[in-house]
Amino acid sequence: MANLVKQINQKILKRIYRIPPLKKQAESDYEEAVKGYIEHLPKLAPEDLNLVETVRREGVVITSLDNLSIPSSKKMFEVSQNLIPQIPRNIPGKKNEYVVHASSQQMMENSEILLWGLEQRILNISENYLGLPVAFHGAYFRRDIANRIEKKSRLWHIDIEDLKVLKVIIYLQDVNEDNGPFEYIPLSLSHQVAKKLRYRNGYVQNQRMQRVLADSHYQSCTGKAGTVIIAATGSVFHRGKIPIASDRFALFFDYTSRLPKYSFLNQYSMTKENLLLLASRVSESQRQSLLWQEHAFYT
């Protein structure tokens, strides 16, 4: 009953936030906050600035753990590989599931994954794209099942948690067209499609998408194990293409500003106890990104 009430409240709040004057005011407040913070953005090396500019221009950029050369990547990737055989292919008692996540206990036992998402370099890249102090929403270890189920994140959508949302995705095995690549529609086309569909939020069936955009415009992010995708998922239509040949294993790291548009949608992916335990192992800057709801940014 509590979950039902929560879902109803969220639907009501979403409708309120879509009222034109309130929506315009929220966007104006966000823009003012960005202008006020521009001088405080962390400086980036040329290669990282290029990543950010590509995301701003196209909506997605593809790189790799090798190219990023973050020292902790090797250990993070090793523990992720060791975790793969521990993730079951189904959830007892649940039907029509298309994805299985590592449990919070498994994530804490393999905390190198979570800590990688708090690497200062990753936070600095995210903050420069967002234009505001960055909030880290956690890491997710996903096993996407090779089946024919087409729902939720396998449908076209744009993330609505904030005016800007950034995801960093790491493939844990080689991914081609047949085992579930991350797929997106370039930024300029996403804007056009949103207007044609009168899109506000939610999921779009592929048949409906094909009425306004030829599938030749879809961009699939394929690559070898260790491929890193940085995606502006709050700005481009995207989906996980249905895996056919084999299950897909990947890591997802989520980032927004600390002024999320829909604060009620932005909940921690970890318990408070685990958050504090993780926070005790990082710098003050990283701690503020992790415990962002306690360190909210005000203009």
Side-chain angles (χ1 to χ4, degrees):
M1 178 62 73
N3 286 335
L4 178 60
V5 172
K6 183 178 179 181
Q7 290 174 10
I8 293 173
N9 286 338
Q10 288 183 357
K11 287 182 179 179
I12 293 172
L13 286 169
K14 284 181 186 178
R15 288 173 183 170
I16 291 174
Y17 273 77
R18 288 202 299 266
I19 296 173
L22 293 180
K23 182 175 182 291
K24 186 175 181 180
Q25 184 61 50
E27 292 172 351
S28 177
D29 290 345
Y30 192 98
E31 290 172 2
E32 285 300 312
V34 168
K35 289 178 183 177
Y37 191 69
I38 192 168
E39 294 183 359
H40 303 283
L41 289 172
K43 301 298 182 184
L44 296 181
E47 57 268 28
D48 290 348
L49 184 59
N50 182 59
L51 293 176
V52 173
E53 289 176 345
T54 303
V55 173
R56 287 174 179 161
R57 183 175 63 253
E58 300 178 13
V60 170
V61 67
I62 302 175
T63 182
S64 68
L65 292 176
D66 286 343
N67 287 340
L68 289 174
S69 299
I70 297 172
S72 65
S73 292
K74 182 178 179 181
K75 182 62 176 177
M76 178 274 291
F77 194 75
E78 287 177 357
V79 301
S80 297
Q81 291 293 313
N82 293 335
L83 189 52
I84 285 176
Q86 301 178 41
I87 308 301
R89 200 170 188 275
N90 53 59
I91 302 173
K94 289 193 175 183
K95 295 182 179 180
N96 296 325
E97 286 300 317
Y98 65 98
V99 61
V100 180
H101 291 89
S103 68
S104 57
Q105 180 180 342
Q106 288 173 318
M107 293 299 287
M108 287 303 294
E109 290 172 351
N110 297 274
S111 58
E112 292 87 352
I113 297 172
L114 291 160
L115 291 170
W116 189 90
L118 284 166
E119 281 283 353
Q120 195 61 54
R121 187 173 171 193
I122 300 299
L123 294 178
N124 289 349
I125 289 171
S126 301
E127 190 158 305
N128 270 266
Y129 167 72
L130 297 167
L132 289 171
V134 58
F136 175 54
H137 292 264
Y140 305 85
F141 186 111
R142 290 175 58 119
R143 177 176 188 163
D144 284 85
I145 309 302
N147 57 27
R148 297 290 179 177
I149 296 172
E150 188 175 8
K151 66 178 185 179
K152 294 186 177 179
S153 63
R154 290 184 174 180
L155 301 175
W156 292 108
H157 64 286
I158 295 176
D159 295 338
I160 64 166
E161 292 88 341
D162 203 352
L163 290 174
K164 288 186 176 181
V165 180
L166 197 72
K167 288 187 187 295
V168 177
I169 304 164
I170 301 175
Y171 290 158
L172 297 177
Q173 92 272 47
D174 295 354
V175 173
N176 57 34
E177 288 288 352
D178 293 329
N179 53 356
F182 175 84
E183 200 167 34
Y184 72 100
I185 295 171
L187 186 60
S188 60
L189 290 176
S190 283
H191 290 161
Q192 296 175 28
V193 168
K195 288 182 180 179
K196 290 179 180 179
L197 293 176
R198 297 182 179 178
Y199 180 83
R200 290 182 175 178
N201 59 67
Y203 298 103
V204 178
Q205 295 280 348
N206 192 49
Q207 295 90 332
R208 184 183 175 204
M209 182 63 74
Q210 288 176 323
R211 295 191 196 114
V212 297
L213 185 72
D215 57 15
S216 58
H217 292 294
Y218 300 171
Q219 300 292 316
S220 288
C221 298
T222 58
K224 294 184 177 296
T227 292
V228 178
I229 301 158
I230 304 175
T233 58
S235 302
V236 298
F237 279 101
H238 61 282
R239 66 175 181 175
K241 193 173 181 180
I242 295 176
I244 299 171
S246 64
D247 295 354
R248 185 197 70 183
F249 292 88
L251 300 175
F252 283 69
F253 303 84
D254 295 357
Y255 305 89
T256 71
S257 77
R258 297 178 206 168
L259 286 173
K261 180 174 63 173
Y262 294 130
S263 59
F264 52 87
L265 293 179
N266 290 271
Q267 302 298 322
Y268 288 132
S269 63
M270 296 173 279
T271 65
K272 186 173 183 179
E273 180 183 11
N274 286 341
L275 277 167
L276 294 175
L277 181 61
L278 202 63
S280 68
R281 301 172 57 186
V282 299
S283 70
E284 180 58 26
S285 173
Q286 293 168 311
R287 178 185 171 89
Q288 289 184 15
S289 294
L290 178 63
L291 304 179
W292 61 276
Q293 286 182 333
E294 297 180 14
H295 297 274
F297 173 79
Y298 298 98
T299 56

